[in-house]
Amino acid sequence: MERISALMDGELDDGEAVQEFKRCGGDATLVEGWATYHLIGDVLRQEAALGTGFNDRLREALAAEPTVLAPRPRNLQRRARLFALSAAAGIAGVLAVGWLAYFNHPASLDAGAGQVAEADSSMNEYLVAHHEYADSASMPSVTPYVRYVNEIRREGAMSR
Amino acid sequence: MKSVCLRWAGGLAVGTALAASTYADQLQDTDALAWLQKIAGAARQLSYEGTFVYQHGDMVETSKIIHMVDGASEYEKLSTLDGPPREVIRNNEEVLSYYPEIKTVRAEKRAGKRTFPALPPELLTNITEHYDVRRGDVERVAGFDAQALVLEPRDGFRYGHKFWAEIGSGLLLKARMFGERHQVIEQFAFTQLKIGGKISLDEVRSSYQSEQDKWKHDRFASNDAKDSDSGWVIKNQPAGFRKVYEMRRSKQGGGAQLLTHIVLTDGLAAVSVFIEPSSLKQKVNEGPAQHGAINIYTRIVGEQRVTVLGETPAATVAQIANSLAPRGR
């Protein structure tokens, strides 16, 4: 037991420590002693005490516990991406607090395509027709005709 | 000993939480779908008036909307509050667009009633197949409590969306569209809104009604030719997109020339395909282009100019454009 105490206090050299661990492995009394010394240490340091025999009680409790048949997470990768999305939305939400201030200094929204040519005026008619028909053919992702009314602002004097 | 025990307890707690959240998500999915249905119906079935801000590309625009439902009839008046004055008056399928500075009214009448008062079940199924739909938090928008919904695309052919719907009626109060890197591409939000209440017919009439008889009238008619197809096929359609319209329509400025317009949708994102003879006089810029939240792809196929555009990633419009061909070739 003295050697266990010395092991705990870090008084054994590497070789002796390894030997002591091996001895512990085969002797229940020594293992219990190791646990008791730790318990004494915890109590002296006023840390929460688990009591002796905690190991046995934990093992018994686990054995009595019903097996939890948890469904597998459907798609961890998707979950991770969703988390990234909500994180991004969180940041965007902070921006939205200063809605008017933000709109007074509109940063160009990034469509993500990089350096792509801006549509020329020959597209006007197509864009108007697209908003007029296509938006109402789908689940409204903005209120119907919102894109349309904004598209026809650009139409007019110059194209007629 | 203590650390071993804590790790055990922690592991159990994490396991339980994971199991619980998976179960909750499954519950939320059906709930989120009910919300989609509610949103789709609300914009057309409710009377409301309000002011909204719309941002796309580097443009920010404010407009006013008055929407009135009277029995089976739908009336709508949209007017721009900044930039050139524009007014759109809609009565069911007839749309009148007013351009006061050039004293012009553009009238478009559709053949047949083809808008959806409620989301058709097959479109809803299509949405859930191609987007992961989840319910978010309740947040405040334009003074209302709003239920947030997140629609995350399952592949690279479409953008993500976040909707905020008024908790009682389902009216869309705010919406954002997200790109591949979760950057915001387009957003729309009411800043002031009144839902319900009595709206008179006078409020949804044009402000230019008394003078419009002296204005120039441009009339457009479209002939929905879905059954008699245009003779063009999309050989490699991106997953989830289905044809909802196929029509021949008159061109701006009149003339006998007709334009073929095909509309595809995945239930949420719409793509338009335009086909018309390419004139020698007009230079055509082939390849990709962009306009706000819209990606465009132009190609010359034989004598025809093919233009594909929509609120989708560039890859979607490019794939459709590159796989368009006259039938049988």
Side-chain angles (χ1 to χ4, degrees), chain A residues 19-34:
Chain A
Q19 211 185 356
E20 202 55 32
F21 278 127
K22 276 187 186 151
R23 211 160 61 89
C24 277
D27 187 332
T29 324
L30 289 177
V31 172
E32 195 58 41
W34 167 263

Side-chain angles (χ1 to χ4, degrees), chain A residues 74 78 103 110-111 117 119 125-126 130 132-133 138-139 147-148 150-155 160, chain B residues 55 59 61 63 82 86 97 99 108 110 134 154 181 186 218 222 252 265 267 272 276 290-291:
Chain A
R74 279 178 306 166
R78 230 166 53 203
F103 276 131
D110 175 11
E125 185 174 1
Y126 293 164
H130 172 70
E132 190 157 19
Y133 282 86
S138 316
M139 163 85 202
R147 288 172 176 148
Y148 175 78
N150 285 291
E151 198 58 61
I152 66 166
R153 284 167 198 254
R154 272 163 287 285
E155 255 202 334
R160 276 158 201 274
Chain B
Q55 185 182 17
M59 283 169 274
E61 285 141 357
S63 307
D82 45 25
R86 290 285 179 274
S97 310
Y99 302 76
E108 174 110 19
R110 299 181 196 201
R134 278 165 203 251
R154 296 189 198 270
R181 302 186 310 276
E186 175 193 61
D218 283 350
S222 62
Q252 206 171 58
T265 179
S272 280
E276 64 173 314
Q290 212 179 315
H291 174 74

Side-chain angles (χ1 to χ4, degrees), chain B residues 44-45 68-75 91-93 113 115 117:
Chain B
R44 295 195 170 272
Q45 292 158 0
M68 195 263 265
V69 178
D70 181 18
S73 280
E74 208 187 331
Y75 301 87
N91 178 11
N92 297 328
E93 300 313 294
K113 191 173 168 65
T115 47

